[in-house]
Amino acid sequence: KNNKEQSVTDFLNKALNVTATVQNDYWDLFLKMETLKVRQEALKLNENLYRQKKREVEIGTLAPVQLANIEADIASKESDIITANKSLIAAEIKLKKSLNIPYNFSGKKFAVVPLDKPVVLEPVFDRDQVLKTAMKNRPDLNKLILARENKAMNIRFTKNQLLPDLELSGKFSFVNEEQFLGRALPPFDELGRNKHEMQLKLSYPLGNRSAESDHITNKLQLQQADLNIRKKKLDIAAEISTTLDTVFKNYSLYKSRLKSLELQKAKLGA
């Protein structure tokens, strides 16, 4: 039973890892697409600035050296676009690989375009409840608990090997029963004498070093299993604490940058 549950736990752990990988690859592709758009928009702004400054150079209100600086910026932005496009292709291939989709599906190239956009909500978490949920549902922790139960069963088995063994056996037979073979037996009281046998056997393991060694080994393994569970719980608690702190910090940073962006837009509008 424990082995079956452990197999189910391994499957759930694998499924969670695959799901997390696909989600991370999806948002990485989304980020690469947005980065490319930003790089392209930056190039357009520089090109517009170049055309504006070029007219100023032509009418003599701007030194030609300023135009050369802008041309260098345009070349740098074009290089950024090439790099961003390569990163986008790599992210797309990575997501297709995670989804087990061939790069050239049906002999034709096709692009994976993320449709869902990130939705930013104010994080609200009950740390105690999050920790309880993790301790209950984490497959890696459940796997260690099942392994610990198997160690406990091994201890019970090896302990029994060190205990005395008492066997009781009995036998009942008819005397001269061969004469009744092949035909119906007469009534029981006409069979004559019968035979009863009973045997009681007591075995006591003296100096069973192999069993003692196995028992000690299993006890040490059980202690190690308890330590592994305790360590995993501490790791989960620390991981949750760090993750929640990161979420709150990122949300605060998001709000700060969003406010800064709105102020910059207001300045440009003014």
Side-chain angles (χ1 to χ4, degrees):
K1 179 181 177 181
N2 282 350
N3 292 335
K4 179 181 178 181
E5 292 181 358
Q6 192 165 359
S7 298
V8 173
T9 299
D10 291 339
F11 172 78
L12 292 176
N13 193 26
K14 182 66 175 179
L16 289 175
N17 290 335
V18 171
T19 302
T21 298
V22 172
Q23 288 179 341
N24 291 335
D25 292 344
Y26 175 89
W27 292 120
D28 184 58
L29 176 60
F30 180 87
L31 176 61
K32 296 299 189 295
M33 293 184 67
E34 293 299 312
T35 300
L36 179 59
K37 292 178 182 179
V38 171
R39 298 288 186 268
Q40 291 172 339
E41 187 64 26
L43 177 61
K44 290 181 180 179
L45 293 175
N46 275 68
E47 289 175 342
N48 292 336
L49 180 62
Y50 175 80
R51 286 190 291 268
Q52 178 184 349
K53 297 301 181 181
K54 184 177 181 180
R55 287 193 295 267
E56 294 180 7
V57 170
E58 291 174 350
I59 62 177
T61 59
L62 184 68
V65 67
Q66 298 295 329
L67 195 61
N69 292 335
I70 299 175
E71 290 176 346
D73 289 340
I74 291 177
S76 177
K77 294 297 186 294
E78 290 175 344
S79 177
D80 291 341
I81 289 177
I82 295 174
T83 301
N85 192 52
K86 288 182 178 179
S87 298
L88 175 61
I89 295 175
E92 182 181 353
I93 294 175
K94 186 178 180 183
L95 178 57
K96 289 180 179 179
K97 183 178 180 181
S98 298
L99 294 172
N100 200 25
I101 300 176
Y103 180 67
N104 294 329
F105 184 71
S106 299
K108 298 180 180 179
K109 293 184 179 180
F110 70 98
V112 177
V113 180
L115 298 179
D116 292 335
K117 297 183 178 180
V119 178
V120 181
L121 301 175
E122 183 176 1
V124 178
F125 298 106
D126 183 345
R127 290 179 178 266
D128 293 337
Q129 185 60 40
V130 170
L131 182 60
K132 289 180 181 179
T133 302
M135 294 297 181
K136 180 180 178 181
N137 298 320
R138 283 285 292 259
D140 48 354
L141 177 60
N142 292 334
K143 183 177 181 179
L144 292 177
I145 293 175
L146 290 174
R148 194 264 181 201
E149 292 178 359
N150 287 337
K151 299 300 181 184
M153 287 190 292
N154 289 339
I155 285 183
R156 290 193 292 270
F157 173 77
T158 53
K159 183 178 181 180
N160 287 336
Q161 302 302 308
L162 299 175
L163 299 176
D165 183 25
L166 181 62
E167 295 182 3
L168 175 63
S169 60
K171 180 179 180 182
F172 175 83
S173 61
F174 299 115
V175 177
N176 298 327
E177 64 270 17
E178 293 83 359
Q179 59 180 314
F180 301 110
L181 293 178
R183 59 190 180 88
L185 291 174
F188 184 79
D189 55 355
E190 297 180 8
L191 291 174
R193 294 180 298 107
N194 50 67
K195 184 178 180 182
H196 302 272
E197 292 183 7
M198 182 173 293
Q199 183 178 12
L200 188 64
K201 181 180 179 182
L202 176 64
S203 301
Y204 191 88
L206 296 175
N208 193 343
R209 295 182 178 180
S210 177
E212 291 177 355
S213 177
D214 291 342
H215 186 59
I216 294 174
T217 299
N218 286 326
K219 288 176 67 176
L220 293 176
Q221 291 178 350
L222 181 63
Q223 294 176 3
Q224 183 63 49
D226 289 334
L227 292 176
N228 292 339
I229 292 174
R230 190 176 300 112
K231 182 178 182 300
K232 176 58 67 174
K233 288 182 177 180
L234 292 175
D235 291 342
I236 292 175
E239 180 182 336
I240 290 176
S241 178
T242 301
T243 302
L244 293 182
D245 289 341
T246 302
V247 170
F248 285 114
K249 290 179 181 178
N250 288 342
Y251 180 73
S252 299
L253 182 61
Y254 164 77
K255 289 177 61 179
S256 175
R257 291 185 175 179
L258 185 61
K259 185 176 181 179
S260 176
L261 180 61
E262 292 175 351
L263 291 175
Q264 290 179 7
K265 289 182 177 180
K267 290 181 181 178
L268 292 175

